[in-house]
Amino acid sequence: MKTVPLHNAKKPAVACNNCSLSELCLPRGLNSEELELLENSINKTVKIKKKDYLFHRDDKQHAIFAVKAGAIKTSLSTPDGEEQILGFYLPGDLLGFDAFSRDRHTCDAQALDDTLVCELSMDNFQELCGMLPVMRGQMMRQIGAEIEREQMLLLTLGQMRTEERLATFLSSLAERNKERGFSSTEFNLPMARHDLANYLGMAVETLSRMFSRLQEEKIIAVQHRLVKIEDPNRLKQLAHHTCRPASDAL
Amino acid sequence: MKTVPLHNAKKPAVACNNCSLSELCLPRGLNSEELELLENSINKTVKIKKKDYLFHRDDKQHAIFAVKAGAIKTSLSTPDGEEQILGFYLPGDLLGFDAFSRDRHTCDAQALDDTLVCELSMDNFQELCGMLPVMRGQMMRQIGAEIEREQMLLLTLGQMRTEERLATFLSSLAERNKERGFSSTEFNLPMARHDLANYLGMAVETLSRMFSRLQEEKIIAVQHRLVKIEDPNRLKQLAHHTCRPASDAL
DNA sequence: ACAGCGTTTTGATTTACATCAAGAAACCAT
DNA sequence: ATGGTTTCTTGATGTAAATCAAAACGCTGT
């Protein structure tokens, strides 16, 4: 890839200012009284250092989380140390719903960077569910979204070639950013190549080459972690497999 | 693969005699009165012809199903006709839980063979949930099992080479059969090579070669759809990635 | 500023897998 | 049974992606 020194490649801020748990979790359907109730139930905002874990597989679920800044990855590991990243959670995303069916987490969650999450303890959550029927529906929808995300990833890993996989990923990241009110054509990748390659089931070198190829094809421009989408249509076309609007996380 | 004409390769029966929905869904925790209630709620046993669909993506969920004989595959398809098989449901398995979060199915379900399912309508199911709190927990556990299955498949598709993928599949099928009281060393594959290859994210030819290779390595013996596991330990060793007891379906 | 270390990119080579093509076995209807 | 169709296996070849190796870049601390 051609390397143009880019001194002004400042990281755009990625903190999510309007992402209190209440807004994220229940965008509508609550009156102000209920909203206050929810706000008061949020225990605290927690700071997690880069590479620290938010939870481990088989941990008892004690809370659900909303990412406010930074990024979290969830992953599955084998006894012999191989891992498969299952998803990335960016500012505005909720996580912890993986544990809902058996009360223990099904995967590990690790911070990719210094990260801020606010947490709603399970006790409070259960209590809220009792008081606010909407809450239960919202929870189910979250679980459903996760299932669909994973199914899309299966399609990606099982059927696409590497270039298409990257195109799909970038396309849905752009979509997500748009929904969140960020730029859908220019953004920073919150994860290292290493992690993205793992997520997309390919070698780091291959991933790097695919970035370069998309750049050669004038579809994107890459400066390290900064991505500009030059031709959204051709990108979408490459990612033709996606059959449904992107859900929340990645 | 060497071909030894095998005239006695009769299909073992695959019907599941002890798989009434009540037993499957709620193995324990119900008194006889409640059990009767559940049995009475089961609408009917439905026969589905090979290649017919049990439900389509975005269909409104009207029931949950228990496979009594035959086999069902669930899959996701892209606009351009490519598909990714997400799971196989064999006698004794429950399906339909994919729709729980948004009341519409997230994938297609198609019979791989003439298939018998018994169905519990959603109306009855909801009613039962109201009367039997256990039911709700059971539902959540089913959803959780599906999520874990999908996560395991992600690990398989993302990290394993083709031989390992097949070994993993055979290993978990054996495990499943064992749990169901069938032989874990000799069984019929309920699906065509075509479908299995798609599920495992490889070409049919590659799958065939991997069957042959495992046979050359004296790990299994294959006669068309009939598989004998000769060396379960070496099979498990190849499928080293599996990190947790197999859940219900595949 | 610089040195030092981890990350990312690029190049050369190997390899696992897909594809193409053809034969063998299984399935099906008559 | 018989022929025809489909499914499965095998072989030959091509190619996408992994691996190996090294250089360029970016980040951190002094």
Side-chain angles (χ1 to χ4, degrees):
Chain A
M1 199 182 305
K2 239 180 310 177
T3 298
V4 184
L6 194 67
H7 304 294
N8 57 336
K10 283 269 155 54
K11 290 185 195 181
V14 282
C16 180
N17 295 317
N18 62 339
C19 64
S20 77
L21 227 166
S22 55
E23 289 181 56
L24 292 170
C25 205
L26 296 162
R28 43 193 129 268
L30 286 192
N31 60 40
S32 56
E33 196 187 334
E34 291 171 329
L35 244 156
E36 200 190 324
L37 186 67
L38 177 55
E39 288 288 2
N40 292 336
S41 303
I42 295 168
N43 302 35
K44 53 194 166 192
T45 295
V46 190
K47 203 175 167 175
I48 300 149
K49 286 232 181 68
K50 187 172 175 172
K51 297 201 177 176
D52 276 0
Y53 284 86
L54 186 55
F55 52 78
H56 283 93
R57 181 186 177 85
D58 292 325
D59 278 356
K60 200 157 165 10
Q61 181 182 35
H62 76 277
I64 58 177
F65 307 93
V67 180
K68 300 201 77 169
I72 303 275
K73 71 172 180 188
T74 53
S75 64
L76 220 57
S77 322
T78 56
D80 51 314
E82 258 179 288
E83 84 167 335
Q84 170 66 41
I85 294 177
L86 301 170
F88 299 107
Y89 295 82
L90 313 184
D93 291 331
L94 296 170
L95 78 159
F97 291 92
D98 61 301
F100 254 87
S101 42
R102 56 172 185 120
D103 201 37
R104 296 188 173 275
H105 289 285
T106 64
C107 54
D108 300 316
Q110 189 181 20
L112 295 174
D113 205 341
D114 290 355
T115 295
L116 240 49
V117 299
C118 65
E119 72 175 55
L120 174 60
S121 80
M122 281 318 289
D123 293 346
N124 285 341
F125 182 81
Q126 298 293 1
E127 202 184 319
L128 279 170
C129 279
M131 287 186 281
L132 312 175
V134 213
M135 203 79 181
R136 187 165 272 287
Q138 187 66 20
M139 176 195 81
M140 291 302 273
R141 241 167 293 136
Q142 274 291 330
I143 296 175
E146 297 251 338
I147 292 177
E148 295 208 44
R149 265 194 333 100
E150 274 167 21
Q151 290 183 348
M152 274 308 303
L153 187 54
L154 282 173
L155 187 65
T156 306
L157 294 182
Q159 306 298 325
M160 295 186 196
R161 45 193 61 250
T162 53
E163 191 183 21
E164 295 171 318
R165 290 184 213 174
L166 177 55
T168 302
F169 173 79
L170 292 175
S171 223
S172 65
L173 184 52
E175 183 64 28
R176 201 203 84 101
N177 282 338
K178 195 174 181 181
E179 284 170 10
R180 290 281 194 281
F182 299 121
S183 166
S184 68
T185 53
E186 189 171 351
F187 45 80
N188 267 309
L189 297 172
M191 72 292 286
R193 295 287 190 270
H194 171 72
D195 283 324
L196 184 50
N198 177 288
Y199 177 70
L200 295 175
M202 61 181 94
V204 226
E205 296 95 327
T206 308
L207 177 63
S208 184
R209 273 181 247 275
M210 292 309 136
F211 269 117
S212 301
R213 189 192 290 184
L214 288 178
Q215 179 152 271
E216 279 162 31
E217 296 173 301
K218 308 274 186 207
I219 294 173
I220 62 168
V222 203
Q223 281 301 313
H224 195 228
R225 297 255 187 131
L226 182 69
V227 175
K228 256 185 248 197
I229 296 178
E230 314 259 65
D231 194 337
N233 291 332
R234 284 215 293 150
L235 189 70
K236 278 223 163 179
Q237 198 180 315
L238 255 176
H240 54 72
H241 290 272
T242 313
C243 46
R244 140 170 312 271
S247 56
D248 280 8
L250 299 170
Chain B
M1 197 185 303
K2 236 182 312 182
T3 298
V4 184
L6 194 66
H7 305 295
N8 56 336
K10 285 268 155 52
K11 293 184 195 180
V14 281
C16 181
N17 295 316
N18 62 337
C19 63
S20 77
L21 227 167
S22 55
E23 288 180 58
L24 292 170
C25 204
L26 296 163
R28 43 195 129 264
L30 287 192
N31 60 39
S32 56
E33 197 186 333
E34 291 169 329
L35 243 155
E36 201 189 324
L37 186 68
L38 177 56
E39 288 289 1
N40 292 338
S41 303
I42 296 168
N43 302 34
K44 54 195 166 191
T45 295
V46 190
K47 202 174 169 176
I48 300 149
K49 285 233 179 67
K50 187 171 176 173
K51 298 200 176 177
D52 276 0
Y53 285 85
L54 186 55
F55 53 78
H56 283 93
R57 181 183 179 86
D58 291 325
D59 278 356
K60 199 155 164 12
Q61 180 182 36
H62 76 277
I64 58 177
F65 307 93
V67 180
K68 301 201 75 168
I72 303 275
K73 73 173 179 188
T74 53
S75 63
L76 220 58
S77 322
T78 56
D80 51 313
E82 260 181 286
E83 84 168 333
Q84 171 67 41
I85 294 176
L86 301 170
F88 298 108
Y89 295 81
L90 312 184
D93 290 330
L94 296 170
L95 77 158
F97 291 92
D98 61 300
F100 254 88
S101 41
R102 56 173 185 118
D103 200 37
R104 296 188 174 274
H105 288 286
T106 64
C107 55
D108 301 316
Q110 187 182 22
L112 296 174
D113 205 342
D114 289 356
T115 295
L116 240 50
V117 299
C118 64
E119 72 176 56
L120 173 60
S121 79
M122 282 316 290
D123 291 347
N124 286 340
F125 182 80
Q126 298 293 1
E127 203 184 320
L128 280 169
C129 278
M131 286 186 283
L132 312 175
V134 213
M135 204 79 180
R136 188 166 269 288
Q138 186 66 19
M139 176 196 80
M140 290 303 273
R141 239 166 294 137
Q142 275 290 330
I143 296 174
E146 297 250 339
I147 292 176
E148 295 210 43
R149 262 190 339 97
E150 273 167 21
Q151 291 183 348
M152 274 307 305
L153 187 54
L154 281 173
L155 187 64
T156 306
L157 293 182
Q159 306 299 325
M160 296 186 196
R161 44 193 59 251
T162 53
E163 192 183 19
E164 295 170 319
R165 291 185 213 172
L166 177 55
T168 302
F169 173 80
L170 291 174
S171 225
S172 65
L173 184 53
E175 183 64 29
R176 201 202 85 102
N177 282 338
K178 196 176 181 179
E179 282 170 11
R180 289 283 194 281
F182 300 122
S183 166
S184 68
T185 53
E186 189 171 350
F187 45 80
N188 267 308
L189 299 172
M191 72 291 287
R193 295 287 191 271
H194 172 259
D195 285 323
L196 184 52
N198 176 289
Y199 177 69
L200 296 175
M202 60 181 95
V204 225
E205 296 95 325
T206 308
L207 177 64
S208 186
R209 274 181 246 276
M210 291 311 137
F211 269 117
S212 302
R213 190 194 288 183
L214 288 178
Q215 180 153 272
E216 278 161 30
E217 296 172 303
K218 307 275 185 208
I219 295 173
I220 63 169
V222 203
Q223 281 301 312
H224 195 228
R225 298 257 187 127
L226 182 69
V227 175
K228 256 185 248 197
I229 296 179
E230 313 258 63
D231 193 335
N233 291 333
R234 284 217 290 152
L235 189 70
K236 279 224 161 176
Q237 198 179 315
L238 255 176
H240 53 72
H241 291 272
T242 312
C243 48
R244 143 168 311 270
S247 57
D248 280 7
L250 298 171

